[in-house]
Amino acid sequence: MQSAYQRVGPCSSCLKKQLNGFLGLIKWQRRLVPACVRTIYSETGKWEKNYGLETRKRVENWWFPRIKDQFCRISETDKSRPKFYVLSMFPYPSGKLHMGHVRVYTISDAVARFQKMRGMQVINPMGWDAFGLPAENAAVEHGLHPASWTQSNIQHMRKQFDAVGLSFTWEREVTTCLPEYYKWTQYLFLKLFEAGLVYQKEALVNWDPVDQTVLANEQVDDNGCSWRSGAKVEQKYLKQWFIKTTAYAKAMFDALSDLPEWYGIKEMQANWIGDCVGCSLDFLLKINGKVTKEKLAAYTYTPEAIYGASHLYILPTHRLLHGNSSLKEVFQREIIPGKDSLTSVTAVNLLTNQEIPVVISAKNYFDNFLDTKIGIPSTSAEDAAVAKNLGISFTEVIETLPNGLEKVINSAEITGMTRQEALKAVTQQAKIKRIGGDLTSDKLRDWLISRQRYWGTPIPIIHCQACGTVPVPYEDLPVVLPTVTTFTGKGASPLENAPEWMNCSCPRCKAAARREVDTMDTFVDSAWYYLRYTDPHNTDRPFNSDLADYWMPVDLYIGGKEHAVMHLFYARFFSHFCHDLKMTKHKEPFRKLLVQGLIKNQTFRLTTTGQCLKREEVDLTGSEPVHLKTGEKLQVAWEKMSKSKHNGIDPEEIVKEYGIDTLRLYILFAAPPEQDILWDAKTDAMPGVQRWQMRLWALVTKLIEARTSETIPNPELLKKKEKADARKIWEQKNLVISEVTEYFTRDHLFNAAISRLMSLTNVLHQAPRPLVLHSIEFEDALASLCIMVAPMAPHIASEMWKGLAHMQNKLCTHHHWDVDVLHQSWPKVDPDYLQPSDVVEMSVLINNKACGKVLVPQQAARNFEEVHELVLQSELGVKHLQGRPIKKAFLSPRTALINFLVQE
């Protein structure tokens, strides 16, 4: 970014004089100001003494275009520099920016600016999660094509982002509904297909019997009726596409232990995955000795005892009894309600080749989400009871030795192994044969990705009568969505109304075939977008591995708690999968996670109907809110801002009234990021940050006025008490730098950071005039304060810095006064401030080799998490550890040593 001097084009002699500290001076409202420099205050001929409404508008109008979009611009990645990848979850382009958006993106904007000032190469990218049902609904309701509706919304939201002063690395923008993006979503789908991690089976969907169409969950109301026809929604079995996420359950569960604390999110992920103690194995079903086309995966908690299986156990609600299976009639004929029912259907274990009967359970449910289990009497008393009651023979396969050790018997090649050895052998063999064997839990289900919709990524599969299911060749990607002009919301998928697109030839035999008409769940698009940001314009592959290895993992991922389970799980799955394909060296995509709370506002509901009223329909003058027309008492609650609840706040209106910086500071100051903000209850925060900006401005005015007086500043003129006060300012400055830096890097408590900056502001306001005039400490503390304010309130900080930069008789020489505040280096704690008794020299080893030492506070030296984080954030850590997968780290507080074991 150019400095102001370069932008306005001063004469070279003036610029040279300024850089050498000999800038000419002119009289300016009884104060002296630099010549040859045009700033905001030079337009009026004076430095505005007070930061009022008009000054604020001029400041933001001047600086907004100068700092917009340039901050994170990177023409070419310099891999020799340390990096910081801050990512906020990209939005669905609804067309309307809301306060929730403003909160998450203000946080990412502030962090990006802070890390840039720390010398990092930063990206803060933005894009659009642009497929989805609302666009299709708009097509049905308003006759707008989903593509044009979506594009219009994107353009509008980009303008709104600009209006509230949010800057992103826009040259890395991705839009998931464009073929240049979803080509690579399809590519990754095909890679999953090749790996045996994609399959089709029948699953329940919401069915509208009137409109004869599939409904998404959000299209079914609270009464179980269709949003459009009003018909009672039915459950119907249709063939659906699944991604076998359970294959990575154990790896993803185990990897959680290597991640930093995610404020409860790791526990949510672990709970979602569950304890991975068992696995599923594949069976072929037979009837009357003949093999059918039915293949069934069944779960067992004890794979090592598989040779002792006696029966396959299914629930009465299983799809084989209610879907389109060829065995449906047999099962329905042989079920005895309320009793375990031995059927004439048998199941052949594809691992052991054992054939066992299928039993329909008397139960209506198994543990968690299981609907099929392998009965093994040796390891389950319940299974043994079922087998005995039904007269099914079985073999004991577990023997307990006198010393308590359990061994496997009567089990072919695994006989004689311990249970743990047998477990490993069975699961490995099953995985090699691609018939199961992946350790998973009884609660995790595979990912159903089929959507009977138009506006989604087409599934790159072709169905041929002769060849069966055939993947689209890579060279034929992308499979582009056809142009469909009519959307009714009724009947089959709209893609079936495009016969020229749907009917095709088989890539293998060239015979007539049909394309898959389901599209992918939008969660698939967002499961890998963080990787595309590292190389968004690549036309040859999803991303360049070298670039991904440099930028990944995301250093800070910011988003709502509602996405902390499913989206995070799917994103982690794709990252693990890409790692296994050698596309990336990092398994985990996100190093730190920041989950921000909601912004809530009051809702006013009629007690009789539950209808939400607009604020102007409510009488707030009494002790309780009542309906203005009827006087009816209202239900008042704090709820997430929503247009339908009439409790939304338009960010652009807030900006017009208070300004960009005030809104940013309010968002960051009102509550810690993970807590909800109650908009009306925080009215004290808005005037609070307004007053603080005025006090900051007043400090700059105070210093400018002191330094443009007739007296030349001289620190030697300070009296003993004034020198002691200067020392206190110096100490306070260092303390605040230390604390604010930690709040930005460790806890992301921006409210606490602002509070500490306010305290430093108060200290400086108490300084007497001689201290302001003659003290290096005051000038340095104010300059440092201005720099630390800049990531959060860049416009006012930029103008204050310009005022300081043009001030004559400056005492501090270590600041880069000739460049804007956003290009200053983040202040560091003075070495003299850290007394030897306060710090510990921590020796840092990497793979058992010493590589240097890092100073850490003594109170943190025994805490592994704190030392680990401080070393990673240090210059040594950035140089030697950034971008390298850390397998383990060991801290020895006694010897002040930390050893990182990293992948070479």
Side-chain angles (χ1 to χ4, degrees), residues 190-199 244 247 434 438 577:
L190 293 179
K191 288 294 182 184
L192 288 163
F193 186 88
E194 286 177 5
L197 296 175
V198 171
Y199 65 93
K244 195 182 286 187
R434 287 193 176 183
D438 298 295
F577 177 67

Side-chain angles (χ1 to χ4, degrees), residues 22 170 252 255 298 358 524 531 535 582 603 610 685 688 718 784 847 897:
F22 299 112
W170 279 115
M252 291 171 66
V358 176
V524 181
L531 287 165
D535 190 18
K582 308 289 191 243
T603 55
L718 292 173
S784 299
N847 291 339
L897 179 149

Side-chain angles (χ1 to χ4, degrees), residues 201 279-283 285 295-301 311-320 347 358-359 361 365-375 442:
K201 74 170 184 180
C279 74
S280 291
L281 295 170
D282 289 346
F283 291 78
L285 300 188
K295 191 177 176 182
L296 200 58
Y299 187 83
T300 173
Y301 295 97
H311 58 280
L312 212 59
Y313 218 17
I314 66 173
L315 291 177
T317 53
H318 197 281
R319 64 177 178 82
L320 291 175
V358 176
V359 174
S361 175
Y365 59 88
F366 295 143
D367 291 336
N368 291 309
F369 296 117
L370 296 179
D371 63 1
T372 311
K373 291 201 308 181
I374 304 173
D442 59 8

Side-chain angles (χ1 to χ4, degrees), residues 172-221:
R172 292 176 181 267
E173 180 181 19
V174 300
T175 305
T176 61
C177 68
L178 296 180
E180 53 262 36
Y181 182 89
Y182 68 72
K183 169 183 180 176
W184 303 112
T185 305
Q186 293 171 339
Y187 172 94
L188 292 170
F189 176 94
L190 293 179
K191 288 294 182 184
L192 288 163
F193 186 88
E194 286 177 5
L197 296 175
V198 171
Y199 65 93
Q200 238 185 338
K201 74 170 184 180
E202 283 191 331
L204 286 173
V205 296
N206 299 315
W207 181 255
D208 184 329
V210 173
D211 285 345
Q212 293 287 296
T213 192
V214 174
L215 301 175
N217 288 334
E218 55 266 40
Q219 292 178 309
V220 181
D221 66 21

Side-chain angles (χ1 to χ4, degrees), residues 838-890:
D838 298 330
V839 296
V840 172
E841 260 194 338
M842 187 66 62
S843 298
V844 179
L845 278 67
I846 298 177
N847 291 339
N848 303 311
K849 294 180 181 178
C851 67
K853 295 185 177 183
V854 172
L855 295 177
V856 301
Q858 191 173 42
Q859 65 269 25
R862 305 188 71 84
N863 185 301
F864 171 77
E865 289 283 345
E866 291 190 35
V867 173
H868 187 276
E869 188 62 29
L870 287 167
V871 172
L872 291 182
Q873 294 285 348
S874 70
E875 290 183 15
L876 182 147
V878 168
K879 181 179 178 181
H880 294 291
L881 291 169
Q882 191 177 75
R884 300 176 72 183
I886 298 171
K887 296 188 287 187
K888 287 287 180 184
F890 303 93

Side-chain angles (χ1 to χ4, degrees), residues 496-549:
E496 293 196 19
N497 297 323
E500 302 85 359
W501 177 87
M502 183 178 65
N503 297 318
C504 61
S505 59
C506 172
R508 288 182 186 163
C509 69
K510 309 305 178 187
R514 284 167 53 96
R515 292 192 186 278
E516 174 61 59
V517 293
D518 282 359
T519 52
M520 293 188 209
D521 177 11
T522 56
F523 272 115
V524 181
D525 307 310
S526 60
W528 73 280
Y529 77 116
Y530 51 88
L531 287 165
R532 185 63 176 173
Y533 277 142
T534 66
D535 190 18
H537 308 298
N538 198 321
T539 57
D540 298 322
R541 63 190 80 173
F543 49 86
N544 178 284
S545 293
D546 288 341
L547 287 171
D549 290 345

